[in-house]
Amino acid sequence: MKIICIGRNYAKHIEELKNERATDPVIFLKPDTAVLLKKQPFFIPDFSDDVHYEVELLVKINKVGKYIQSKFAHKYYDEIGLGIDFTARDLQSQLKEKGLPWEKSKAFDGSAVIGEKWFSKEEFESLQNINFSLQRNGEEVQKGNTAHMLCQIDEIIEYVSQFFTLKIGDIIFTGTPEGVGRVKTNDVLNGYIENESVFQIKVK
Protein backbone atom coordinates (compact mmCIF):
# COMPACT_ATOMS: atom_id res chain seq x y z
CA MET A 1 0.00 0.00 0.00
CA LYS A 2 1.27 3.43 -0.90
CA ILE A 3 0.02 6.83 0.17
CA ILE A 4 -0.15 9.42 -2.59
CA CYS A 5 -0.59 13.00 -1.42
CA ILE A 6 -1.74 15.99 -3.44
CA GLY A 7 -0.36 19.36 -2.40
CA ARG A 8 -1.65 22.86 -3.12
CA ASN A 9 -5.13 21.72 -4.14
CA TYR A 10 -7.05 24.52 -2.36
CA ALA A 11 -6.46 28.13 -3.39
CA LYS A 12 -6.82 29.65 0.09
CA HIS A 13 -4.33 27.17 1.56
CA ILE A 14 -1.85 28.14 -1.15
CA GLU A 15 -2.35 31.76 -0.11
CA GLU A 16 -1.95 31.14 3.62
CA LEU A 17 1.43 29.43 3.09
CA LYS A 18 2.44 31.97 0.46
CA ASN A 19 3.16 29.23 -2.07
CA GLU A 20 3.06 29.53 -5.83
CA ARG A 21 0.04 28.04 -7.59
CA ALA A 22 1.34 25.14 -9.64
CA THR A 23 0.22 24.44 -13.21
CA ASP A 24 -0.03 20.70 -12.51
CA PRO A 25 -0.97 18.91 -9.26
CA VAL A 26 1.85 18.68 -6.72
CA ILE A 27 2.49 15.04 -5.75
CA PHE A 28 4.47 13.53 -2.90
CA LEU A 29 4.44 10.10 -1.27
CA LYS A 30 4.35 8.72 2.24
CA PRO A 31 5.54 5.16 3.03
CA ASP A 32 3.34 2.67 4.86
CA THR A 33 5.44 3.30 7.98
CA ALA A 34 3.97 6.82 8.06
CA VAL A 35 0.54 5.44 8.98
CA LEU A 36 -0.34 6.20 12.60
CA LEU A 37 -1.33 2.92 14.22
CA LYS A 38 -4.92 2.53 15.37
CA LYS A 39 -5.73 3.88 18.84
CA GLN A 40 -2.19 5.27 19.16
CA PRO A 41 -1.46 8.93 20.00
CA PHE A 42 0.56 11.13 17.69
CA PHE A 43 3.97 11.84 19.19
CA ILE A 44 5.56 15.14 18.18
CA PRO A 45 8.95 14.14 16.76
CA ASP A 46 12.14 15.34 18.41
CA PHE A 47 13.41 16.92 15.17
CA SER A 48 10.63 19.51 14.89
CA ASP A 49 9.27 22.38 16.98
CA ASP A 50 6.49 23.24 14.54
CA VAL A 51 4.39 20.26 13.45
CA HIS A 52 1.15 21.25 11.69
CA TYR A 53 -2.13 19.38 11.26
CA GLU A 54 -3.59 19.24 7.73
CA VAL A 55 -6.98 17.53 7.47
CA GLU A 56 -7.70 15.94 4.10
CA LEU A 57 -10.36 13.90 2.35
CA LEU A 58 -9.10 10.44 1.38
CA VAL A 59 -9.86 8.10 -1.51
CA LYS A 60 -9.15 4.35 -1.32
CA ILE A 61 -8.26 2.64 -4.60
CA ASN A 62 -10.07 -0.67 -5.23
CA LYS A 63 -8.71 -1.71 -8.63
CA VAL A 64 -5.33 -1.85 -10.36
CA GLY A 65 -4.97 0.84 -12.99
CA LYS A 66 -2.51 2.80 -15.12
CA TYR A 67 -3.14 5.71 -17.51
CA ILE A 68 -6.72 6.02 -16.26
CA GLN A 69 -8.87 8.56 -18.08
CA SER A 70 -10.92 10.82 -15.80
CA LYS A 71 -14.17 9.58 -17.35
CA PHE A 72 -13.32 6.07 -16.12
CA ALA A 73 -11.70 7.07 -12.80
CA HIS A 74 -14.92 6.55 -10.79
CA LYS A 75 -14.54 2.80 -11.38
CA TYR A 76 -11.31 2.74 -9.36
CA TYR A 77 -12.68 3.74 -5.94
CA ASP A 78 -15.78 3.10 -3.84
CA GLU A 79 -14.93 4.70 -0.50
CA ILE A 80 -14.20 8.14 0.90
CA GLY A 81 -12.37 8.70 4.18
CA LEU A 82 -10.64 11.38 6.22
CA GLY A 83 -7.13 11.79 7.53
CA ILE A 84 -4.38 14.14 8.63
CA ASP A 85 -1.15 14.88 6.82
CA PHE A 86 1.10 15.91 9.71
CA THR A 87 3.86 18.21 8.49
CA ALA A 88 7.05 19.33 10.21
CA ARG A 89 6.68 22.86 8.88
CA ASP A 90 10.01 24.16 10.15
CA LEU A 91 11.89 21.29 8.54
CA GLN A 92 9.84 21.61 5.34
CA SER A 93 10.72 25.31 5.08
CA GLN A 94 14.42 24.55 5.46
CA LEU A 95 14.26 21.86 2.76
CA LYS A 96 12.29 24.06 0.36
CA GLU A 97 14.79 26.91 0.78
CA LYS A 98 17.56 24.55 -0.30
CA GLY A 99 15.53 23.07 -3.16
CA LEU A 100 15.58 19.64 -1.50
CA PRO A 101 12.81 16.99 -1.35
CA TRP A 102 10.19 17.25 1.41
CA GLU A 103 10.12 13.62 2.58
CA LYS A 104 11.75 14.20 5.96
CA SER A 105 9.07 16.74 6.84
CA LYS A 106 6.10 14.87 5.38
CA ALA A 107 6.79 11.12 5.46
CA PHE A 108 8.13 10.49 8.94
CA ASP A 109 6.70 7.73 11.16
CA GLY A 110 3.15 8.49 12.31
CA SER A 111 2.69 11.43 9.93
CA ALA A 112 -0.37 9.95 8.18
CA VAL A 113 -3.62 9.62 10.09
CA ILE A 114 -6.16 7.42 8.31
CA GLY A 115 -9.58 7.46 9.94
CA GLU A 116 -11.05 4.06 10.77
CA LYS A 117 -14.46 4.92 9.32
CA TRP A 118 -14.92 4.90 5.55
CA PHE A 119 -18.01 6.03 3.64
CA SER A 120 -19.42 4.56 0.45
CA LYS A 121 -19.23 7.23 -2.24
CA GLU A 122 -22.88 6.40 -2.97
CA GLU A 123 -23.80 8.06 0.35
CA PHE A 124 -23.01 11.47 -1.11
CA GLU A 125 -25.25 13.31 -3.55
CA SER A 126 -22.15 14.74 -5.19
CA LEU A 127 -18.47 14.07 -4.64
CA GLN A 128 -17.92 17.71 -5.57
CA ASN A 129 -19.90 18.90 -2.55
CA ILE A 130 -18.58 17.04 0.51
CA ASN A 131 -18.06 18.99 3.73
CA PHE A 132 -15.28 17.98 6.11
CA SER A 133 -13.66 19.60 9.12
CA LEU A 134 -11.15 19.34 11.94
CA GLN A 135 -11.60 20.37 15.56
CA ARG A 136 -8.70 21.03 17.90
CA ASN A 137 -9.68 20.80 21.58
CA GLY A 138 -13.34 21.27 20.65
CA GLU A 139 -12.77 24.32 18.43
CA GLU A 140 -13.16 24.08 14.67
CA VAL A 141 -9.85 25.02 13.03
CA GLN A 142 -10.28 23.71 9.50
CA LYS A 143 -13.35 23.48 7.31
CA GLY A 144 -13.33 22.37 3.70
CA ASN A 145 -15.63 21.43 0.86
CA THR A 146 -14.56 19.41 -2.17
CA ALA A 147 -16.18 22.03 -4.42
CA HIS A 148 -13.13 24.19 -3.68
CA MET A 149 -10.61 21.63 -4.93
CA LEU A 150 -8.54 22.94 -7.82
CA CYS A 151 -8.26 19.37 -9.11
CA GLN A 152 -11.22 17.07 -8.47
CA ILE A 153 -10.92 13.40 -7.44
CA ASP A 154 -11.30 11.89 -10.91
CA GLU A 155 -8.83 14.40 -12.36
CA ILE A 156 -6.35 13.54 -9.59
CA ILE A 157 -6.61 9.83 -10.44
CA GLU A 158 -6.08 10.54 -14.14
CA TYR A 159 -3.00 12.65 -13.44
CA VAL A 160 -1.41 10.43 -10.79
CA SER A 161 -1.91 7.23 -12.80
CA GLN A 162 0.30 8.62 -15.57
CA PHE A 163 3.26 8.24 -13.21
CA PHE A 164 2.31 5.51 -10.73
CA THR A 165 0.36 2.31 -11.23
CA LEU A 166 -2.51 2.47 -8.75
CA LYS A 167 -3.04 -0.72 -6.78
CA ILE A 168 -5.77 -2.06 -4.52
CA GLY A 169 -5.51 -0.46 -1.07
CA ASP A 170 -3.55 2.60 -2.18
CA ILE A 171 -4.82 5.79 -0.52
CA ILE A 172 -4.88 9.26 -2.03
CA PHE A 173 -4.77 12.32 0.23
CA THR A 174 -6.58 14.92 -1.89
CA GLY A 175 -5.28 18.15 -0.36
CA THR A 176 -5.94 20.38 2.63
CA PRO A 177 -8.05 23.53 2.98
CA GLU A 178 -6.87 26.65 4.78
CA GLY A 179 -6.59 26.78 8.56
CA VAL A 180 -3.55 24.58 9.18
CA GLY A 181 -1.76 25.16 12.46
CA ARG A 182 0.69 23.92 15.03
CA VAL A 183 -0.11 21.00 17.33
CA LYS A 184 0.89 20.99 20.98
CA THR A 185 1.24 18.31 23.60
CA ASN A 186 -2.15 17.22 25.02
CA ASP A 187 -4.11 18.52 22.02
CA VAL A 188 -7.09 16.41 20.94
CA LEU A 189 -7.92 16.43 17.23
CA ASN A 190 -11.33 15.33 15.94
CA GLY A 191 -12.13 14.88 12.25
CA TYR A 192 -15.59 14.99 10.68
CA ILE A 193 -17.21 14.30 7.33
CA GLU A 194 -20.63 15.97 7.08
CA ASN A 195 -20.73 16.33 10.89
CA GLU A 196 -20.10 12.61 11.43
CA SER A 197 -17.07 11.77 13.57
CA VAL A 198 -14.35 9.88 11.70
CA PHE A 199 -11.36 9.96 14.05
CA GLN A 200 -10.01 11.32 17.34
CA ILE A 201 -6.26 11.72 17.84
CA LYS A 202 -4.43 12.67 21.02
CA VAL A 203 -1.11 14.51 20.74
CA LYS A 204 1.78 13.59 23.03
Tab-separated table of all heavy atoms in Angstrom, residues 2 8 11 26 31 39 45 54 61 64-65 73 78-79 86-87 96 114 116 129 151 158 165 169 174-175 185 203:
chain	number	residue	atom	x	y	z
A	2	LYS	N	0.546	2.159	-0.884
A	2	LYS	CA	1.271	3.432	-0.898
A	2	LYS	C	0.291	4.576	-0.655
A	2	LYS	O	-0.909	4.468	-0.949
A	2	LYS	CB	2.033	3.632	-2.204
A	2	LYS	CG	1.211	3.591	-3.479
A	2	LYS	CD	2.136	3.699	-4.685
A	2	LYS	CE	1.377	3.527	-6.000
A	2	LYS	NZ	0.940	2.129	-6.215
A	8	ARG	N	-1.199	21.610	-2.496
A	8	ARG	CA	-1.654	22.862	-3.123
A	8	ARG	C	-2.910	22.668	-3.980
A	8	ARG	O	-2.976	23.109	-5.120
A	8	ARG	CB	-0.526	23.471	-3.963
A	8	ARG	CG	0.749	23.703	-3.142
A	8	ARG	CD	1.858	24.335	-3.963
A	8	ARG	NE	3.112	24.355	-3.204
A	8	ARG	CZ	4.261	24.826	-3.661
A	8	ARG	NH1	4.315	25.338	-4.882
A	8	ARG	NH2	5.343	24.807	-2.918
A	11	ALA	N	-7.052	26.816	-3.135
A	11	ALA	CA	-6.464	28.132	-3.394
A	11	ALA	C	-6.136	28.897	-2.112
A	11	ALA	O	-5.068	29.503	-1.988
A	11	ALA	CB	-7.387	28.959	-4.283
A	26	VAL	N	0.610	18.990	-7.431
A	26	VAL	CA	1.853	18.678	-6.719
A	26	VAL	C	1.671	17.323	-6.045
A	26	VAL	O	0.690	17.099	-5.331
A	26	VAL	CB	2.163	19.756	-5.667
A	26	VAL	CG1	3.390	19.369	-4.847
A	26	VAL	CG2	2.377	21.109	-6.342
A	31	PRO	N	5.437	6.621	2.952
A	31	PRO	CA	5.542	5.161	3.026
A	31	PRO	C	4.489	4.592	3.982
A	31	PRO	O	3.860	5.342	4.743
A	31	PRO	CB	6.951	4.949	3.577
A	31	PRO	CG	7.191	6.156	4.432
A	31	PRO	CD	6.488	7.294	3.726
A	39	LYS	N	-5.608	3.625	17.399
A	39	LYS	CA	-5.728	3.884	18.841
A	39	LYS	C	-4.421	4.357	19.472
A	39	LYS	O	-4.270	4.376	20.693
A	39	LYS	CB	-6.251	2.641	19.585
A	39	LYS	CG	-7.595	2.160	19.060
A	39	LYS	CD	-8.089	0.973	19.862
A	39	LYS	CE	-9.289	0.340	19.201
A	39	LYS	NZ	-10.515	0.900	19.412
A	45	PRO	N	7.575	14.636	16.893
A	45	PRO	CA	8.950	14.144	16.755
A	45	PRO	C	9.975	15.109	17.341
A	45	PRO	O	9.765	16.324	17.370
A	45	PRO	CB	9.132	14.002	15.243
A	45	PRO	CG	8.149	14.956	14.649
A	45	PRO	CD	6.979	14.973	15.582
A	54	GLU	N	-2.988	18.933	9.028
A	54	GLU	CA	-3.591	19.245	7.729
A	54	GLU	C	-4.651	18.184	7.456
A	54	GLU	O	-4.320	17.061	7.057
A	54	GLU	CB	-2.534	19.238	6.613
A	54	GLU	CG	-1.444	20.292	6.768
A	54	GLU	CD	-0.559	20.403	5.524
A	54	GLU	OE1	-0.991	19.951	4.440
A	54	GLU	OE2	0.554	20.938	5.652
A	61	ILE	N	-8.223	3.293	-3.287
A	61	ILE	CA	-8.256	2.640	-4.596
A	61	ILE	C	-8.668	1.171	-4.440
A	61	ILE	O	-8.192	0.468	-3.545
A	61	ILE	CB	-6.869	2.743	-5.282
A	61	ILE	CG1	-6.481	4.212	-5.487
A	61	ILE	CG2	-6.866	1.979	-6.603
A	61	ILE	CD1	-7.430	5.001	-6.369
A	64	VAL	N	-6.628	-2.191	-9.770
A	64	VAL	CA	-5.332	-1.852	-10.358
A	64	VAL	C	-5.550	-1.055	-11.642
A	64	VAL	O	-6.402	-1.407	-12.469
A	64	VAL	CB	-4.517	-3.129	-10.661
A	64	VAL	CG1	-3.213	-2.777	-11.376
A	64	VAL	CG2	-4.235	-3.898	-9.381
A	65	GLY	N	-4.800	0.038	-11.799
A	65	GLY	CA	-4.975	0.840	-12.994
A	65	GLY	C	-3.757	1.679	-13.340
A	65	GLY	O	-2.980	2.072	-12.462
A	73	ALA	N	-12.342	7.092	-14.128
A	73	ALA	CA	-11.699	7.073	-12.800
A	73	ALA	C	-12.656	6.618	-11.699
A	73	ALA	O	-12.225	5.996	-10.716
A	73	ALA	CB	-11.140	8.454	-12.478
A	78	ASP	N	-14.421	3.187	-4.360
A	78	ASP	CA	-15.785	3.098	-3.843
A	78	ASP	C	-15.962	3.873	-2.546
A	78	ASP	O	-17.088	4.159	-2.151
A	78	ASP	CB	-16.170	1.633	-3.565
A	78	ASP	CG	-16.289	0.809	-4.834
A	78	ASP	OD1	-16.789	1.341	-5.840
A	78	ASP	OD2	-15.867	-0.367	-4.817
A	79	GLU	N	-14.841	4.170	-1.857
A	79	GLU	CA	-14.933	4.698	-0.497
A	79	GLU	C	-14.195	6.025	-0.332
A	79	GLU	O	-13.152	6.262	-0.948
A	79	GLU	CB	-14.374	3.681	0.499
A	79	GLU	CG	-15.182	2.394	0.579
A	79	GLU	CD	-14.600	1.425	1.578
A	79	GLU	OE1	-13.420	1.026	1.406
A	79	GLU	OE2	-15.301	1.072	2.545
A	86	PHE	N	0.267	15.137	8.781
A	86	PHE	CA	1.102	15.910	9.711
A	86	PHE	C	2.371	16.356	8.987
A	86	PHE	O	3.002	15.578	8.271
A	86	PHE	CB	1.469	15.074	10.934
A	86	PHE	CG	0.387	14.993	11.974
A	86	PHE	CD1	-0.189	13.773	12.295
A	86	PHE	CD2	-0.056	16.128	12.630
A	86	PHE	CE1	-1.179	13.690	13.263
A	86	PHE	CE2	-1.050	16.060	13.598
A	86	PHE	CZ	-1.616	14.831	13.911
A	87	THR	N	2.731	17.612	9.197
A	87	THR	CA	3.858	18.206	8.486
A	87	THR	C	4.780	18.934	9.460
A	87	THR	O	4.323	19.793	10.216
A	87	THR	CB	3.353	19.223	7.435
A	87	THR	OG1	2.438	18.571	6.553
A	87	THR	CG2	4.506	19.800	6.644
A	96	LYS	N	12.741	23.316	1.541
A	96	LYS	CA	12.290	24.063	0.363
A	96	LYS	C	13.278	25.172	-0.001
A	96	LYS	O	13.547	25.424	-1.177
A	96	LYS	CB	10.897	24.644	0.622
A	96	LYS	CG	9.788	23.610	0.565
A	96	LYS	CD	8.479	24.128	1.117
A	96	LYS	CE	7.882	25.231	0.294
A	96	LYS	NZ	6.567	25.667	0.818
A	114	ILE	N	-5.108	7.941	9.191
A	114	ILE	CA	-6.156	7.419	8.312
A	114	ILE	C	-7.324	7.017	9.205
A	114	ILE	O	-7.211	6.096	10.016
A	114	ILE	CB	-5.652	6.214	7.499
A	114	ILE	CG1	-4.512	6.655	6.573
A	114	ILE	CG2	-6.793	5.592	6.687
A	114	ILE	CD1	-3.829	5.504	5.841
A	116	GLU	N	-10.579	5.446	10.832
A	116	GLU	CA	-11.048	4.059	10.766
A	116	GLU	C	-12.359	3.934	9.992
A	116	GLU	O	-12.647	2.890	9.409
A	116	GLU	CB	-11.219	3.492	12.187
A	116	GLU	CG	-9.904	3.355	12.942
A	116	GLU	CD	-10.099	2.704	14.302
A	116	GLU	OE1	-11.009	1.873	14.434
A	116	GLU	OE2	-9.334	3.040	15.232
A	129	ASN	N	-19.259	18.074	-3.579
A	129	ASN	CA	-19.904	18.897	-2.547
A	129	ASN	C	-19.917	18.152	-1.219
A	129	ASN	O	-20.961	17.926	-0.617
A	129	ASN	CB	-21.320	19.273	-2.970
A	129	ASN	CG	-21.978	20.251	-2.005
A	129	ASN	OD1	-21.294	21.012	-1.310
A	129	ASN	ND2	-23.293	20.216	-1.927
A	151	CYS	N	-8.267	20.588	-8.302
A	151	CYS	CA	-8.258	19.375	-9.107
A	151	CYS	C	-9.169	18.363	-8.418
A	151	CYS	O	-8.908	17.966	-7.278
A	151	CYS	CB	-6.834	18.844	-9.221
A	151	CYS	SG	-6.594	17.542	-10.434
A	158	GLU	N	-6.605	10.520	-12.766
A	158	GLU	CA	-6.082	10.544	-14.137
A	158	GLU	C	-4.625	11.008	-14.135
A	158	GLU	O	-3.766	10.381	-14.771
A	158	GLU	CB	-6.920	11.458	-15.021
A	158	GLU	CG	-6.386	11.557	-16.446
A	158	GLU	CD	-7.234	12.450	-17.330
A	158	GLU	OE1	-7.460	13.628	-16.957
A	158	GLU	OE2	-7.663	11.980	-18.400
A	165	THR	N	1.442	3.287	-11.143
A	165	THR	CA	0.364	2.307	-11.231
A	165	THR	C	-0.398	2.315	-9.907
A	165	THR	O	0.209	2.185	-8.836
A	165	THR	CB	0.925	0.897	-11.493
A	165	THR	OG1	1.587	0.892	-12.762
A	165	THR	CG2	-0.192	-0.137	-11.500
A	169	GLY	N	-5.925	-0.856	-2.418
A	169	GLY	CA	-5.506	-0.459	-1.072
A	169	GLY	C	-4.703	0.815	-1.018
A	169	GLY	O	-4.497	1.376	0.066
A	174	THR	N	-6.190	14.039	-0.785
A	174	THR	CA	-6.582	14.917	-1.890
A	174	THR	C	-6.291	16.403	-1.674
A	174	THR	O	-6.673	17.230	-2.502
A	174	THR	CB	-8.078	14.739	-2.198
A	174	THR	OG1	-8.851	15.100	-1.031
A	174	THR	CG2	-8.397	13.308	-2.606
A	175	GLY	N	-5.622	16.750	-0.589
A	175	GLY	CA	-5.277	18.154	-0.358
A	175	GLY	C	-5.992	18.731	0.847
A	175	GLY	O	-7.037	18.231	1.268
A	185	THR	N	1.458	19.448	22.713
A	185	THR	CA	1.242	18.311	23.603
A	185	THR	C	-0.106	18.438	24.331
A	185	THR	O	-0.473	19.527	24.777
A	185	THR	CB	2.379	18.233	24.635
A	185	THR	OG1	3.629	18.128	23.929
A	185	THR	CG2	2.217	17.021	25.541
A	203	VAL	N	-2.480	14.104	21.036
A	203	VAL	CA	-1.106	14.509	20.740
A	203	VAL	C	-0.268	14.405	22.000
A	203	VAL	O	-0.657	14.906	23.071
A	203	VAL	CB	-1.049	15.945	20.184
A	203	VAL	CG1	0.387	16.356	19.891
A	203	VAL	CG2	-1.915	16.061	18.937
